[in-house]
Amino acid sequence: MEEQIKILAIESSCDETAAAVVVNGREVKSNVISSQIELHKLYGGVVPEIASRKHIEKINQVIEEALEEAGETLDSIDAVAVTYGPGLVGALLVGVAEAKAIAYAKKKPLVGVHHIEGHISANYIEHKDLEPPFMCLVASGGHSHLVKVIDYGKYEIIGRTRDDAAGEAFDKVARAIGLGYPGGPKIDKLAREGDKKAITFPQAKVNGAPNDFSFSGLKSAVLNYLNKCKMQNVEVNKADVAASFQESVVDVLSEHAINAALEHGLDKVAIAGGVASNSALRAKMAEKCEKHHLKFYYPSPVLCTDNAAMIGAAGYYDYKKGIRDGLDLNAVPNLKIGQR
Ligand code: KG4
Ligand code: ZN
């Protein structure tokens, strides 16, 4: 029988305090998430200082719940995995300090995990048959990357955003049309009532860099459009703005992901991160993948946005490779992918 490696995973890089127990990187025994969205909504975005304080308040409770739900204890788990970057430094430090305390007190191996590698690994949980190599589009509130997954824990960045992340663009446009935070799910919903061809917004492309993205021009174009309507006393059809903006984002994200897969001779494409739960992106990816005979993988929404199960999946493959961190593990806010 295959050896059972039970990992307690901890995630606190932004505004979710999360803990999970994952067996052999693919089987989720528990996945507890305490979201701070309601708290940060008041300010229209994440306030780092508040996020850190809330993590401190919640982290023990979240870990206890995750262990209880999984029927495990701090003694019965095999290792502790924790996100150590990238993210908000004060938020990351809460999870890192907690994981170090557990590893020290219970003499368990400690594995520091890269947050984006976690997002990508959410696909391993959802699709038990998925194995590298594949192309992965990672689109979240903080990141927009095209990552070639060469092997477990082995990555190459093929493309990235030059300015805003895709999720950030969703959040900013949502705020401009009065939808509140976080904007992604709200735009996704409102766009269903709008006409995606109503307004032509620019594409989030970078001249001469076919795999890179740039969302700030698109964001400005939406803001200019709204201003122009206001000055001309024209009523804005918010659903049309949402649908047209979303179409522009989704078109570029999917086109780049498919082209990168084809260019690198890969037959599998995955998506990950908060924006991967966008219904229009999923539909467009499915359509384009079918056309190009590519297999398409995406995690269920709860595994797209920040969670600890994905950290447990990535942490397992690092653990298997023999990666261990010492009690000097620190938070690295701008940690690069594959940087060890
Ligand atoms: O992965 P995530 O939880 O956090 C980061 O690591 O950044 O992603 C959060 C981002 C937010 O910007 C949110 O607006 C966006 O993902 N998002 C969406 C959807 N659900 C979440 N964007 C578009 N459509 C959605 N359905
Ligand atoms: Zn994330």
Side-chain angles (χ1 to χ4, degrees):
M1 213 179 90
E2 195 191 356
E3 193 191 4
Q4 298 265 301
I5 304 290
K6 292 175 276 192
I7 293 192
L8 169 66
I10 300 170
E11 154 67 39
S12 71
S13 66
C14 191
D15 60 345
E16 261 96 27
T17 322
V21 175
V22 181
V23 179
N24 288 356
R26 304 249 180 182
E27 193 196 330
V28 179
K29 292 283 198 186
S30 62
N31 188 20
V32 178
I33 305 166
S34 169
S35 173
Q36 305 176 3
I37 283 179
E38 287 306 316
L39 206 62
H40 298 286
K41 241 182 197 169
L42 296 168
Y43 309 95
V46 179
V47 183
E49 168 84 14
I50 294 176
S52 312
R53 286 168 182 265
K54 207 65 195 170
H55 285 312
I56 284 276
E57 219 176 286
K58 289 281 176 187
I59 197 148
N60 284 317
Q61 185 193 331
V62 163
I63 291 173
E64 264 171 39
E65 268 178 52
L67 288 169
E68 198 180 306
E69 221 179 275
E72 301 293 341
T73 64
L74 288 179
D75 292 299
S76 69
I77 51 145
D78 297 293
V80 189
V82 63
T83 308
Y84 74 112
L88 303 169
V89 67
L92 287 165
L93 278 169
V94 176
V96 169
E98 179 83 14
K100 280 164 52 167
I102 295 171
Y104 176 69
K106 297 292 176 182
K107 300 188 171 52
K108 301 286 178 185
L110 175 68
V111 182
V113 175
H114 190 288
H115 183 76
I116 304 289
E117 297 180 15
H119 273 302
I120 295 169
S121 304
N123 280 288
Y124 296 138
I125 298 171
E126 195 75 46
H127 308 284
K128 310 291 181 216
D129 60 331
L130 175 62
E131 284 184 24
F134 59 93
M135 188 59 69
C136 190
L137 166 72
V138 187
S140 71
H143 319 272
S144 298
H145 286 316
L146 270 176
V147 182
K148 181 176 176 182
V149 183
I150 301 162
D151 200 348
Y152 292 109
K154 200 165 171 211
Y155 308 91
E156 186 187 341
I157 298 199
I158 302 296
R160 53 162 54 86
T161 179
R162 297 290 181 96
D163 38 59
D164 294 353
E168 203 178 341
F170 269 97
D171 294 336
K172 286 177 179 167
V173 167
R175 192 188 306 165
I177 54 175
L179 297 180
Y181 176 85
K186 297 193 167 110
I187 290 205
D188 193 347
K189 194 163 164 227
L190 184 63
R192 285 175 212 159
E193 294 159 29
D195 174 5
K196 62 185 182 190
K197 295 202 173 79
I199 312 149
T200 309
F201 288 128
Q203 294 246 308
K205 291 184 177 179
V206 180
N207 280 341
N211 292 323
D212 282 354
F213 309 104
S214 166
F215 295 101
S216 71
L218 169 61
K219 178 195 67 191
S220 302
V222 176
L223 297 181
N224 287 342
Y225 173 83
L226 295 174
N227 271 338
K228 211 169 99 194
C229 290
K230 199 172 164 191
M231 275 159 58
Q232 294 172 347
N233 256 335
V234 178
E235 202 185 324
V236 172
N237 183 325
K238 290 184 181 181
D240 282 353
V241 174
S244 303
F245 158 76
Q246 180 174 268
E247 176 66 7
S248 182
V249 174
V250 157
D251 214 39
V252 169
L253 289 177
S254 57
E255 187 187 308
H256 286 202
I258 306 282
N259 286 348
L262 296 173
E263 197 184 301
H264 287 262
L266 300 169
D267 62 353
K268 291 177 258 185
V269 187
I271 55 174
V275 181
S277 54
N278 183 271
S279 59
L281 177 65
R282 286 167 181 251
K284 178 115 17 191
M285 285 294 300
E287 183 195 313
K288 287 188 180 171
C289 282
E290 198 183 330
K291 190 171 151 208
H292 293 280
H293 309 289
L294 298 166
K295 277 183 238 126
F296 174 44
Y297 299 85
Y298 55 93
S300 48
V302 69
L303 292 171
C304 285
T305 43
D306 288 350
N307 65 88
M310 67 184 197
I311 303 304
Y316 169 75
Y317 291 105
D318 287 344
Y319 176 91
K320 288 278 278 184
K321 275 168 60 179
I323 291 174
R324 304 288 185 270
D325 283 292
L327 293 176
D328 57 349
L329 180 69
N330 204 349
V332 184
N334 58 353
L335 185 67
K336 302 282 172 289
I337 220 166
Q339 178 192 319
R340 272 239 169 234

